[in-house]
Amino acid sequence: MRLASGNEGPPVAGWAYFDSPSINVQGVATFDLRASSGALLTTTGVLGSGGIRKAGLPVEVVRPSRNTGAAIAALGQDVTVMLHLIDQNGVAVASVLDPRLNPLAADNQIAVFVNELFPAVPGINNFRGGLVAEVLGTGQVALTSLVMKESLLSAVPIVEFNAVTSARLKADYEFQSTLSSAVAGAPNLNNVGSNTFGSKNVDGNPRTVLNFSPNNGLTLSPTVGVTPNDAYTIAVLFSFENATSWRKILDFKNGTVDRGLFVLDGRLVFYNESSSSIGASITPGTFVQVVLTRDADRRVVGYVNGVMQFQFTDVRDAATISDQNTLRFFNNIPVAGDTAAGSVARVRIYDNAISADEVAFLDRLP
């Protein structure tokens, strides 16, 4: 099949797709640039792009002779796309939620030059670097790119940023009247104080959970074989009856110092390293999923319900598990008052840090 734009009028950017009800159809495309006389000036193959959530492409803009264009298509559902412009030193110089893209309706596309996306960036008409397209929320896009150089046309490959890490789920505690892990090989959790199983409404459904009183909680010991002491992901689905003042979530030093992950007046805080700049996101009686990650580069990131709250470089190893190889949940020593009663519905532990994209798509209940 051949699609063409006639020379008698201005070129029209657009796209076409085939819908086959019974078989899978694959294809390739070429793009011809012709003079007004119809003479062929240049041709290029267009590289295929499958469903992606985040990808980048090289950018070269030297006006008026060179420019980079990108076409972004929403695959199957409406999407919101954030665009990031990166200079040749790898530094992000601008980000935009372009209104032409947001929301981009299902099965629609937009084709635009980079200097049109970032007209306010100084020197945009003499720029080399990269463009990153990132889907916010759910959905996927197809990304296609072409570079025009002195009337020559070239297809530009895109680089997909794979959000999947090497982290493995090593423990999954679901609290279905047991403190054992649904993933084999992890030790049972241990009660601190008198905790009881009961029923709570979690995400709109009745669910068996573990209820704890103030300064009661849980320990995981030993952590050896579950996660390294310096690189992990810990996801906790819980609710507090009281979220005012300081309320302990996680302790990494087996109660020897008053440090760790807290709620402070509804904000997620790692005392005394970093706190949420977003504001209160944890309210009493509501189940929230708090995720804390630490990677081998000492980068610690805290999330509430998939949204990043803080990050810091752990130069003092405040977020490493001590050589006592114990994690404590909800229990605080030596300040017992910095705790609250509550309920926990699930605890998961991975043996490395997972990415922000993986956190955003992490499920809650099994």
Side-chain angles (χ1 to χ4, degrees):
M1 182 175 183
R2 181 170 179 254
L3 303 176
S5 175
N7 290 322
E8 66 275 6
V12 177
W15 76 320
Y17 67 90
F18 299 90
D19 188 1
S20 172
S22 58
I23 60 173
N24 292 328
V25 176
Q26 293 184 333
V28 296
T30 60
F31 197 84
D32 291 349
L33 179 65
R34 294 180 180 271
S36 58
S37 64
L40 179 65
L41 298 176
T42 185
T43 185
T44 187
V46 178
L47 304 178
S49 171
I52 57 175
R53 290 189 46 78
K54 188 175 183 180
L57 55 98
V59 168
E60 183 177 24
V61 181
V62 183
R63 300 297 294 148
S65 61
R66 302 182 186 186
N67 211 345
T68 302
I72 303 173
L75 301 181
Q77 69 176 82
D78 295 359
V79 296
T80 298
V81 181
M82 174 77 82
L83 298 173
H84 309 278
L85 189 65
I86 315 296
D87 69 16
Q88 59 188 350
N89 296 315
V91 177
V93 296
S95 297
V96 64
L97 283 167
D98 193 286
R100 289 169 290 187
L101 274 169
N102 297 299
L104 185 58
D107 300 326
N108 282 2
Q109 69 92 43
I110 182 172
V112 65
F113 284 112
V114 170
N115 59 334
E116 295 174 324
L117 290 167
F118 297 93
V121 171
I124 188 59
N125 287 315
N126 187 12
F127 184 90
R128 290 178 176 84
L131 178 72
V132 174
E134 177 182 12
V135 176
L136 304 182
T138 60
Q140 294 182 322
V141 297
L143 180 63
T144 304
S145 180
L146 294 173
V147 167
M148 180 79 71
K149 294 183 179 182
E150 309 289 351
S151 298
L152 296 177
L153 199 61
S154 299
V156 179
I158 65 169
V159 178
E160 182 177 0
F161 301 138
N162 192 341
V164 177
T165 67
S166 61
R168 298 170 297 173
L169 180 63
K170 299 301 293 286
D172 187 356
Y173 302 98
E174 300 173 3
F175 301 104
Q176 297 304 285
S177 301
T178 178
L179 297 181
S180 63
S181 168
V183 176
N188 290 355
L189 293 172
N190 301 301
N191 280 311
V192 176
S194 300
N195 305 320
T196 58
F197 291 102
S199 181
K200 292 283 186 178
N201 194 311
V202 183
D203 297 343
N205 297 297
R207 171 81 177 182
T208 299
V209 298
L210 185 71
N211 301 314
F212 50 87
S213 301
N215 210 40
N216 286 2
L218 296 159
T219 62
L220 173 63
S221 184
T223 54
V224 176
V226 178
T227 186
N229 288 9
D230 60 353
Y232 55 74
T233 296
I234 303 170
V236 187
L237 181 62
F238 72 96
S239 70
F240 278 152
E241 294 180 6
N242 186 329
T244 58
S245 189
W246 295 89
R247 303 298 178 222
K248 189 65 164 284
I249 303 173
L250 280 170
D251 182 294
F252 300 88
K253 310 301 183 185
N254 200 22
T256 58
V257 294
D258 187 20
R259 298 287 188 272
L261 189 65
F262 289 83
V263 175
L264 173 58
D265 295 326
R267 294 183 297 116
L268 192 66
V269 174
F270 200 106
Y271 182 73
N272 55 348
E273 303 293 333
S274 187
S275 63
S276 171
S277 60
I278 296 176
S281 56
I282 299 173
T283 57
T286 300
F287 278 85
V288 295
Q289 183 151 269
V290 168
V291 178
L292 190 75
T293 68
R294 189 186 194 277
D295 64 22
D297 294 325
R298 295 183 170 181
R299 181 172 180 261
V300 176
V301 188
Y303 305 83
V304 176
N305 294 335
V307 178
M308 183 186 298
Q309 307 292 305
F310 63 74
Q311 60 178 313
F312 64 93
T313 301
D314 190 19
V315 295
R316 295 186 288 186
D317 290 337
T320 59
I321 302 169
S322 72
D323 57 10
Q324 296 183 47
N325 301 315
T326 299
L327 279 172
R328 302 180 77 90
F329 300 84
F330 313 119
N331 167 257
N332 196 42
I333 301 172
V335 186
D338 291 346
T339 61
S343 305
V344 56
R346 195 176 190 186
V347 171
R348 279 170 287 181
I349 301 174
Y350 296 76
D351 62 358
N352 208 335
I354 65 175
S355 70
D357 282 345
E358 288 175 299
V359 172
F361 284 92
L362 196 62
D363 63 343
R364 291 165 69 95
L365 294 178

